[in-house]
Amino acid sequence: MAATELSVGKIDVSRVAASGSPVDLTLPAAFGPFRWYGNTRFTGPRMARQFFLAPAGEHRVIPTHVLPGAVQTRRSFRGYDAVLFSAPDRSDAALVFAGPYNEATTWFGGPAPDDAGLSRLLATFSFADSPIGATLRPTSDLLVRQADDTLIGRAPAATLMVRPAADALPTLPDWAGLRLPGGELWRGERLLDPGLAALVAGTPHQWRYLLAGDSAVMDLVLQGPESGRSTIELTEERIVDALGAIAVRWSR
């Protein structure tokens, strides 16, 4: 498979995380256009629920590929629909907040709530969609706590995850990383099956790159032969130059 070169031209991206926090990123242009995802988690009395955010329309695979033949019910709200998918055998169900640009999905791991329970659940959250991201927040933070807010970017050449620094700092290595303009950089070996690991040995695709700045921490993987893509031809110096172009700011 032919090798490809990674240039260090930059693009600026502004998104909003599920919590409503603005996230501003400067990324190497060669990573390609990103599709944006995310996740967030809520806990409270008799409630623990995780939502996965994705571009609008991805929930359409639920009744065709994930829960074949699922029964679908829909409630319309201002700016979005709440769509409930229930497996015919009641083994699982999913609730989707579906907006014009983005959506948020949670899975029940069993039967869906009854109508009254679903109404209470819908009243627990506030969903608002926009071209730069959807927000999903508790209607009252006195009883429900939001945590594990993550912004995820997927492009042909890279996958990245961004978290606020306060959440991610406890997971950083104990040793000092390499200082770059955008923060402190570490790398760690990816956990791959032996066959895939052999494909990326000795290349930049062998590693996960962790960049910790003042307000955010980014976890980055460069996609290569393990994903059916070409190997990126980069020396150690060039990979540091490319990662040095990255900057992330997570505003509260």
Side-chain angles (χ1 to χ4, degrees), residues 50-169:
Q50 186 168 16
F51 282 85
F52 302 92
L53 287 85
E58 294 213 351
H59 70 277
R60 295 182 186 129
V61 303
I62 293 176
T64 58
H65 293 78
V66 184
L67 299 177
V71 177
Q72 176 179 330
T73 58
R74 182 181 299 264
R75 300 188 188 186
S76 294
F77 297 87
R78 184 175 181 179
Y80 69 96
D81 287 348
V83 188
L84 180 68
F85 296 95
S86 298
D89 62 359
R90 293 173 51 83
S91 60
D92 204 352
L95 174 65
V96 182
F97 292 93
Y101 307 102
N102 302 276
E103 61 188 42
T105 302
T106 187
W107 291 86
F108 293 99
D114 59 20
D115 286 346
L118 181 60
S119 294
R120 287 193 297 270
L121 184 62
L122 292 172
T124 302
F125 303 106
S126 172
F127 179 83
D129 198 12
S130 78
I132 62 170
T135 61
L136 181 66
R137 293 180 281 194
T139 52
S140 171
D141 56 9
L142 296 178
L143 295 176
V144 178
R145 178 177 177 269
Q146 185 169 10
D148 295 342
D149 202 15
T150 306
L151 182 67
I152 302 169
R154 295 176 180 168
T159 298
L160 60 86
M161 295 190 298
V162 183
R163 294 179 290 164
D167 294 348
L169 286 178

Side-chain angles (χ1 to χ4, degrees), residues 22-55:
V23 184
D24 297 302
L25 307 98
T26 299
L27 302 169
F31 285 176
F34 281 89
R35 288 172 61 82
W36 293 97
Y37 299 78
N39 64 61
T40 191
R41 185 169 57 88
F42 301 90
T43 56
R46 294 180 296 177
M47 198 269 286
R49 189 144 300 282
Q50 186 168 16
F51 282 85
F52 302 92
L53 287 85

Side-chain angles (χ1 to χ4, degrees), residues 173 175-187 209-212 236-237 239-241 243-244:
W175 58 92
L178 176 67
R179 294 300 306 180
L180 294 178
E184 196 169 357
L185 176 70
W186 295 266
R187 73 176 188 181
Y209 299 93
L210 198 63
L211 182 67
E236 193 75 21
E237 182 179 356
I239 193 69
V240 171
D241 287 344
L243 296 175

